[in-house]
Amino acid sequence: MFEADILLEDIREILSAVPFTLFMALVTFVFSTIIGSLFALAEYRNIPILRELIFVYKVAFKGIPLVIVIFLGYYGLPPTIQFLASLIGINFNGHHTPNWVLLVIGVTACIAAFQAEVIKGALNSFDNGQADAARSLGYTNGQLFRRVMFPQVVIAAIPDLTNSIMVIMKALSLGFAIEVVDIFAQSQLTAALNFYYLEAFVIAVVIYMIIAFLVTTAADRLERSLRVWT
Amino acid sequence: MLELKNIKLSYGNTQVLNGVDLSVNRGDVVSIIGPSGTGKTTLLKCINYLVKPSSGTIAFDQLHMDYAQADKKAIQAIRLRTAMVFQQFNVFKNMTVLQNVMDPLVVVQRKSQDEAREIALRELDRVGLSAKRDSYPSQLSGGQLQRTGIARALAVRPDVMLFDEPTSSLDPELVSEVLKVIKDVTSSGITSLLVTHEMQFAKNISNRIVFMDQGVVAADGSPAEIFDAPANPRLAQFLQTELAFH
Ligand SMILES: Nc1ncnc2c1ncn2[C@@H]1O[C@H](COP(=O)(O)OP(=O)(O)O)[C@@H](O)[C@H]1O
Ligand SMILES: [Mg+2]
């Protein structure tokens, strides 16, 4: 059933999609984490109006199926971008926005809602007595955050934050719907040429598993090396 | 040197402090006793503005502040002149013992690393923790954590020390090591406010005892007046239950 030379060729082709998939995942991870952190901080500090807006945002993006968000982005973002560019006097044809950018924006928008919950949980797990102690000693809020809260909160959040790298990897495979070629889409395309569907998907599965293994191990190591105090 | 007048505070609908008056002279060691939930912790937290009273005034030497118009400068000035020791220790978990004591000196007082280190090592020696200076809080006993908290507070050279039930969350066998340190601190002449349930200890180290009950100061006097001849019936009853415990 498995023919070695076809298999090797398939592996080579599917592997070629790995760097770009990882690149998109990384960009998505970075932006969704930044946005999620800002949301979580706004909620933690209980800033009126922002707090309500973020709540609505989270309900929306946790509730709407990702594939719909991706299509909304695909059809809605180019004209929006064009319009916004025209407002600041730039003549940009929004339809020249690469599809992968639209995909990354859509996935980022969804994952940010989840990252916000992760960071919020880590913030809530912070023992506030330490904040009392710091304030009583004259720390400003900024000093308290930098010296005491941030180091503890980041480490508390690492396992769940890195979890979302894998969620992002999987979410990106929906990019197939708007012709973005990631690992999954490449295995699909490869199989369509030689009809070795099972083989192509098994290869994709193995690649995803290897990435999951590497990401999880790296996260564990990172957490352990940073968590010098437990 | 420290005078609180008519402090009122409520959490939501529950009035916790109902107009507390308290004045402390330089060098005083004042122990605050009273039933749980009566607002002792809250009162200490008012002093360094960890909670916000709805009304009342505080005077700290020349400095006056009305809590209704609290201003940042006055709050910071008071925070820099007081230091608090907490029931739950509240040491910084991401720092070693030494870093805990040094950090406020470097971050708030802008001292050099070398100077901060020198001061911190001296205070750690004073509380008997030199050997543990590179340990993290997770590796310490409650008694050691509290002594770290005390060293951190002493290192900033406060005019007033605020102790909030410093031994209440300790295992019984660890209480005495912390009391010994506190006694050393209070007998050095630093003005201290101590909330405690250790009646005998309070009697020994204090020159004044304040009995708080239901959000007000219900009795205030020398240890002899409070312990040997309690005039207030609720105080007498409180002392009886406390003594029955120990
Ligand atoms: N952050 C808070 N929010 C709401 N209620 C509180 C808070 N802190 C304390 N209380 C309540 O205020 C009352 C006084 O608390 P506290 O000052 O800790 O008393 P004490 O130290 O004398 O035991 C208690 O009834 C307590 O439940
Ligand atoms: Mg208390």
Side-chain angles (χ1 to χ4, degrees), chain A residues 129-130 135 138-139 147 229, chain B residues 76 79 93-94 103 136 138:
Chain A
Q130 296 173 81
R135 289 207 185 90
Y139 285 61
R147 303 292 304 164
W229 59 81
Chain B
Q76 185 70 357
R79 283 179 176 174
K93 290 178 184 157
N94 57 322
D103 207 62
Y136 282 93
S138 58

Side-chain angles (χ1 to χ4, degrees), chain B:
Chain B
M1 77 184 299
L2 175 64
E3 187 162 30
L4 297 165
K5 274 198 186 139
N6 199 26
I7 304 291
K8 292 188 179 162
L9 183 145
S10 41
Y11 293 116
N13 291 327
T14 36
Q15 183 91 14
V16 175
L17 300 178
N18 292 312
V20 174
D21 295 312
L22 179 68
S23 74
V24 179
N25 297 317
R26 192 171 295 279
D28 267 355
V29 177
V30 179
S31 287
I32 302 175
I33 59 173
S36 285
T38 208
K40 305 182 297 296
T41 298
T42 304
L43 179 64
L44 287 195
K45 286 185 169 178
C46 288
I47 296 174
N48 47 30
Y49 209 73
L50 295 179
V51 293
K52 185 184 185 319
S54 55
S55 68
T57 60
I58 180 170
F60 203 124
D61 289 339
Q62 269 64 268
L63 197 130
H64 286 260
M65 184 172 80
D66 188 333
Y67 283 109
Q69 297 137 26
D71 75 291
K72 278 195 172 157
K73 264 198 189 145
I75 292 167
Q76 185 70 357
I78 293 172
R79 283 179 176 174
L80 293 180
R81 297 180 57 181
T82 60
M84 186 152 174
V85 173
F86 297 84
Q87 182 173 357
Q88 303 298 339
F89 325 130
N90 296 347
V91 297
F92 304 137
K93 290 178 184 157
N94 57 322
M95 299 182 196
T96 62
V97 167
L98 180 61
Q99 288 166 343
N100 260 280
V101 183
M102 281 177 66
D103 207 62
L105 303 178
V106 175
V107 171
V108 180
Q109 302 192 351
R110 308 234 167 263
K111 288 188 161 54
S112 71
Q113 289 281 336
D114 287 344
E115 194 185 350
R117 191 182 168 81
E118 195 181 314
I119 295 171
L121 288 174
R122 203 158 52 222
E123 296 306 335
L124 287 177
D125 184 45
R126 184 172 176 186
V127 301
L129 273 184
S130 298
K132 291 284 176 189
R133 66 181 179 211
D134 294 322
S135 300
Y136 282 93
S138 58
Q139 304 158 331
L140 300 179
S141 71
Q144 292 165 336
L145 289 172
Q146 193 56 296
R147 286 186 282 144
T148 305
I150 295 172
R152 181 177 65 182
L154 289 172
V156 303
R157 299 259 173 282
D159 294 329
V160 177
M161 283 286 285
L162 309 170
F163 294 94
D164 183 23
E165 301 203 34
T167 59
S168 292
S169 27
L170 296 179
D171 293 336
E173 73 271 20
L174 301 176
V175 169
S176 68
E177 68 182 54
V178 172
L179 290 183
K180 198 164 141 265
V181 170
I182 295 172
K183 186 166 182 186
D184 168 61
V185 172
T186 54
S187 60
S188 75
I190 183 167
T191 311
S192 303
L193 271 169
L194 167 72
V195 174
T196 186
H197 283 281
E198 298 283 340
M199 295 300 149
Q200 194 56 48
F201 183 71
K203 193 172 171 179
N204 288 340
I205 66 154
S206 317
N207 64 326
R208 247 178 77 208
I209 309 286
V210 166
F211 172 61
M212 271 187 75
D213 189 31
Q214 298 175 328
V216 294
V217 172
D220 185 343
S222 69
E225 288 167 331
I226 298 289
F227 288 113
D228 302 336
N232 180 313
R234 284 189 59 97
L235 168 60
Q237 195 200 346
F238 169 75
L239 289 174
Q240 218 163 31
T241 42
E242 283 292 314
L243 292 176
F245 251 125
H246 290 93

Side-chain angles (χ1 to χ4, degrees), chain A residues 4-73:
Chain A
D5 48 340
I6 294 180
L7 217 55
L8 276 176
E9 180 58 21
D10 280 10
I11 291 174
R12 202 190 53 74
E13 262 185 28
I14 297 171
L15 272 178
S16 73
V18 169
F20 185 57
T21 309
L22 289 177
F23 166 74
M24 288 192 295
L26 190 69
V27 173
T28 306
F29 176 75
V30 169
F31 282 103
S32 63
T33 306
I34 292 172
I35 296 169
S37 303
L38 294 175
F39 284 2
L41 279 175
E43 284 197 292
Y44 185 76
R45 308 208 49 183
N46 234 332
I47 303 174
I49 305 177
L50 260 185
R51 184 181 59 193
E52 283 81 16
L53 289 175
I54 289 166
F55 178 77
V56 173
Y57 180 95
K58 290 200 300 193
V59 170
F61 280 93
K62 280 195 268 182
I64 306 171
L66 181 53
V67 70
I68 297 182
V69 174
I70 290 170
F71 274 123
L72 283 176

